[in-house]
Amino acid sequence: MQDALPALVLNSEALLRHAMDETPSSQPNPQGSPVSSNTGVSDERLMLAFSQGSSEAFTELFSRYKQPIYGFFRRRVADLAHAEELTQETFFALLRAANRYQPRALFRTYLYAIGFKILRAHRRKAAFRATFFSHRNSAPDPSRQDSTESALWVRRAVERLDPVDREVLMLREFEQLSYAEIADLLQLPLNTVRSRLFRSRTALRNLLEPPAASTRQDTLQLSTKKGENA
């Protein structure tokens, strides 16, 4: 993914004023030193620094999360360009919401929640366009772009899971969120997240095993027929 967003955002005085118009410019940096000089600062403190006017804090957050957020969208939309656009929209939304930020949860949970809202809006628009123009099947299947048969088969198996189970599995395995973060993000009880993750993993394993078993059975039957005809 391209790194153009920080330059675009940080050079846009109008957008920064819109995001920070209620924040007193005299507030100090909570770090007491330039944020960019300390990459060990927590996400939450960086976001607080950004909400108080630190452009360096935003640059650091973007650097940390540009690839994870792009990967989040790439696994959920068909087109690479759309994934990039949605990633940029997510960071623009983060910019606009900066003056309202409160560290009530982990920053990455907060950021993925923004991503989910943007993804849902994108899906609603895509569904409307598909219905209106009768092109439901016009979008390319991203799984066809996989370079190996195994990756293709796994992707198709994941797509067959229950939608909520699939999101729980992907957030855990790909985004590597904790059970508590997934529960907060999807607004599910913690035990439900655990049970759905177990169910999705079991279902995925069952979806992936039959072809191998079927192949072995077909091979055995073919060998038996050859023996009978000998």
Side-chain angles (χ1 to χ4, degrees), residues 5-7 10 31 34-47 49-50 54-68 91 94 107 111:
L5 183 59
L10 300 180
Q31 312 308 321
V35 176
S36 59
S37 66
N38 187 357
T39 57
V41 177
S42 71
D43 297 335
E44 293 73 29
R45 297 191 70 185
L46 283 171
M47 187 60 194
F50 172 51
S54 171
S55 60
E56 292 86 356
F58 179 85
T59 301
E60 176 63 25
L61 286 171
F62 180 78
S63 177
R64 292 181 184 185
Y65 283 96
K66 60 183 177 181
Q67 288 300 333
F91 284 101
L94 180 67
F107 170 77
L111 185 60

Side-chain angles (χ1 to χ4, degrees), residues 12-227:
S12 175
E13 295 181 358
L15 282 176
L16 281 174
R17 283 198 301 269
H18 175 73
M20 316 267 189
D21 56 2
E22 297 179 2
T23 303
S25 59
S26 60
Q27 285 187 342
N29 185 333
Q31 312 308 321
S33 61
V35 176
S36 59
S37 66
N38 187 357
T39 57
V41 177
S42 71
D43 297 335
E44 293 73 29
R45 297 191 70 185
L46 283 171
M47 187 60 194
L48 285 172
F50 172 51
S51 71
Q52 294 173 0
S54 171
S55 60
E56 292 86 356
F58 179 85
T59 301
E60 176 63 25
L61 286 171
F62 180 78
S63 177
R64 292 181 184 185
Y65 283 96
K66 60 183 177 181
Q67 288 300 333
I69 294 299
Y70 173 72
F72 169 82
F73 286 117
R74 180 65 189 95
R75 286 183 283 273
R76 290 165 174 82
V77 300
D79 188 82
L80 288 171
H82 286 162
E84 290 195 6
E85 290 172 5
L86 295 175
T87 300
Q88 299 228 0
E89 283 185 34
T90 299
F91 284 101
F92 274 119
L94 180 67
L95 173 74
R96 291 190 294 269
N99 63 324
R100 300 190 300 274
Y101 174 75
Q102 295 293 331
R104 298 190 182 95
L106 290 177
F107 170 77
R108 69 174 182 175
T109 306
Y110 176 78
L111 185 60
Y112 278 117
I114 293 175
F116 258 113
K117 289 180 181 179
I118 289 173
L119 178 64
R120 291 189 184 107
H122 169 76
R123 285 173 171 170
R124 286 194 297 269
K125 291 177 183 177
F128 173 80
R129 287 194 297 266
T131 302
F132 188 80
F133 294 107
S134 300
H135 288 161
R136 287 186 180 274
N137 299 319
S138 61
D141 182 354
S143 63
R144 293 177 184 174
Q145 300 174 12
D146 288 322
S147 58
T148 64
E149 269 188 39
S150 59
L152 174 62
W153 181 252
V154 170
R155 186 185 292 271
R156 287 178 174 172
V158 169
E159 290 173 351
R160 293 174 62 186
L161 298 175
D162 172 86
V164 177
D165 290 352
R166 180 171 62 245
E167 284 297 347
V168 170
L169 178 68
M170 294 177 71
L171 288 170
R172 180 62 177 170
E173 300 298 338
F174 293 103
E175 277 69 51
Q176 297 184 344
L177 300 189
S178 67
Y179 295 129
E181 288 177 294
I182 297 172
D184 189 19
L185 192 58
L186 300 182
Q187 298 183 342
L188 296 172
L190 187 60
N191 287 338
T192 300
V193 170
R194 295 180 185 276
S195 62
R196 281 186 172 272
L197 181 60
F198 176 80
R199 186 170 68 184
S200 63
R201 284 172 170 167
T202 302
L204 183 61
R205 184 168 58 249
N206 292 337
L207 287 169
L208 294 174
E209 284 179 353
S214 176
T215 300
R216 288 194 296 270
Q217 185 176 1
D218 291 344
T219 302
L220 179 61
Q221 290 177 349
L222 182 59
S223 299
T224 302
K225 288 182 179 180
K226 286 184 177 179

